[in-house]
Amino acid sequence: MSRRARIGIVGAGYWAAEFYLPFLRDQPDVELVGVVRRGRRELDALRRAFELAVASERVADLLAAGCDGIVVASPNALHREHAEAALRAGAHVLVEKPMTVTLHDARALAAVARDCDRTLTLAHGWNDNPIATWAADVVATGLLGRLASVDLFMASTLTELFAGRSGYGTVEHGGHRFEADPRTWTDPASGGGYLYGQLSHGLALALSLVRSEPEEVFARMVRLPNGADLDVSLSVRFADGVVGSFAGHGRLPWGRRKAMEVRLAGEHGALTIDFERERADVAVAPDRVAVVPGAGTWLPLALDLRPGAGAYDNVGPTRRLIDLCLGRDVRDRAPAELGVRCVAVMEAAAESARSGAPVTVPAREAAHAG
């Protein structure tokens, strides 16, 4: 029998119970080792439901069992602590968004991954969607020429969760019902609110297409009575002169499909991807073609998309972790470097919204000084 990847989960809350645990259990090349979370009753339920060897409140217990890979799905403010422990234990790590809450922690965590020669990858499922991978390939061909601007809009159903009034759906395992804990999502200082909790997805998608460093951010936010941001609008200037507009809100009624749209403009044309309306096309002069670098094959200037092609899932990032654990070649669509740039924008945006002024993103050298 071929070797299976030994994978564990730190932070086995609602999303782990809804997606990660059932998905990993059903993969023939995975051995699901165990979980870490608070609550003996919840741990016992997960142990029964998924026949886990480890179900503990201590991260050290899971790491001591020997894991090739760890999913970090704990509260946002704990991502660095938990991912760093897993990396130092020799595991590849998949971190739920956002990578961290602070830029200092993001840069430090990326450095630990390099020092440990382990891969730290991010759970940005949009980036692995064929619509996004086509857009990345188009940009890589140079078809648009020098990029000038990027605009992102997204919308979600999160008012009740961010207001602290309810969770976000429920799922039952082992006789226990799991639900997102509103306390995890209501404190902006700990990575709660729309900026960190949702716009992080959109930023990761847009910044995977615009590769330059963010230099300055100006932000405005509308907050709920508890202080959590629900409407966010950012203006970003990048190092190569590209300007960006990133906006989103959590006010969609329950049952409505998430909105996610990115538009890129360059010196030779414009590209649009829309996951809600399932559109992917590029407008350029008729004599221009997109040729895949090194392959010599043409890329279509528009995708013929089936219904449902734009729906979000987290399969791509999770399969990437499995393949990394088994030594397979993988293309990382959401690497640690991307996570660092996203956190740089979010931290500056949070500061800008508080101060009412533009905020300069610290350069890499300045971040490591001292």
Side-chain angles (χ1 to χ4, degrees):
M1 183 178 179
S2 59
R3 188 173 80 87
R4 295 190 294 166
R6 290 175 54 82
I7 295 179
I9 300 174
V10 176
Y14 166 74
W15 183 228
E18 170 69 23
F19 171 74
Y20 283 117
L21 284 162
F23 180 81
L24 290 168
R25 175 197 59 197
D26 294 342
Q27 302 306 296
D29 52 357
V30 170
E31 180 182 348
L32 190 52
V33 178
V35 297
V36 176
R37 63 158 295 140
R38 292 178 179 176
R40 191 71 256 166
R41 182 181 176 186
E42 292 85 352
L43 287 167
D44 289 343
L46 293 176
R47 185 197 295 273
R48 290 192 302 270
F50 295 95
E51 301 180 347
L52 303 173
V54 178
S56 174
E57 294 188 343
R58 290 168 28 91
V59 175
D61 292 340
L62 178 60
L63 298 180
C67 293
D68 301 307
I70 292 289
V71 175
V72 173
S74 51
N76 297 338
L78 298 176
H79 284 182
R80 177 186 174 180
E81 174 188 340
H82 293 156
E84 184 169 339
L87 290 165
R88 294 194 185 282
H92 298 290
V93 176
L94 172 65
V95 181
E96 263 296 331
K97 53 78 187 168
M99 180 178 176
T100 60
V101 177
T102 70
L103 180 56
H104 176 270
D105 281 354
R107 285 171 165 163
L109 190 54
V112 170
R114 290 192 297 270
D115 292 344
C116 295
D117 194 25
R118 297 289 87 184
T119 295
L120 176 73
T121 186
L122 285 301
H124 289 296
W126 296 112
N127 291 29
D128 286 281
N129 184 287
I131 295 173
T133 61
W134 168 84
D137 290 343
V138 169
V139 172
T141 68
L143 179 68
L144 296 177
R146 182 179 177 278
L147 295 181
S149 66
V150 54
D151 297 283
L152 163 87
F153 174 76
M154 65 179 300
S156 323
T157 307
L158 289 166
T159 305
E160 296 300 305
L161 178 63
F162 288 171
R165 292 191 288 263
S166 71
Y168 187 80
T170 61
V171 60
E172 186 170 321
H173 294 297
H176 183 81
R177 181 171 294 180
F178 293 85
E179 184 175 20
D181 186 346
R183 292 173 297 180
T184 303
W185 300 102
T186 53
D187 180 9
S190 299
Y194 199 85
L195 174 64
Y196 281 93
Q198 277 292 284
L199 199 65
S200 50
H201 266 316
L203 285 169
L205 175 60
L207 298 188
S208 69
L209 303 175
V210 178
R211 299 302 185 97
S212 61
E213 293 288 320
E215 286 190 331
E216 184 182 79
V217 181
F218 178 72
R220 294 186 186 278
M221 299 180 187
V222 176
R223 299 184 185 275
L224 293 163
N226 64 359
D229 50 283
L230 191 63
D231 304 76
V232 180
S233 179
L234 317 180
S235 177
V236 181
R237 188 190 72 229
F238 293 89
D240 59 359
V242 174
V243 294
S245 172
F246 307 95
H249 66 79
R251 299 181 186 273
L252 284 182
W254 187 261
R256 291 292 299 272
R257 184 170 173 177
K258 290 181 180 178
M260 175 76 82
E261 180 180 5
V262 179
R263 291 176 180 260
L264 284 175
E267 59 184 339
H268 299 310
L271 178 147
T272 299
I273 52 175
D274 186 335
F275 293 82
E276 179 189 19
R277 297 175 177 83
E278 290 161 349
R279 171 187 173 186
D281 57 66
V282 59
V284 292
D287 60 338
R288 295 186 63 81
V289 295
V291 180
V292 179
T297 57
W298 287 15
L299 279 168
L301 298 186
L303 295 183
D304 184 12
L305 298 168
R306 58 173 175 76
Y312 180 82
D313 69 52
N314 204 35
V315 171
T318 313
R319 278 303 319 176
R320 181 162 59 247
L321 177 66
I322 296 167
D323 292 341
L324 284 166
C325 293
L326 296 175
R328 298 166 181 161
D329 290 334
V330 296
R331 182 171 181 180
D332 195 346
R333 300 281 184 175
E337 172 273 331
L338 175 64
V340 170
R341 288 193 292 129
C342 290
V343 175
V345 171
M346 290 186 290
E347 182 182 72
E351 182 180 344
S352 174
R354 287 191 296 268
S355 68
V359 171
T360 300
V361 176
R364 290 176 186 262
E365 293 77 9
H368 290 295

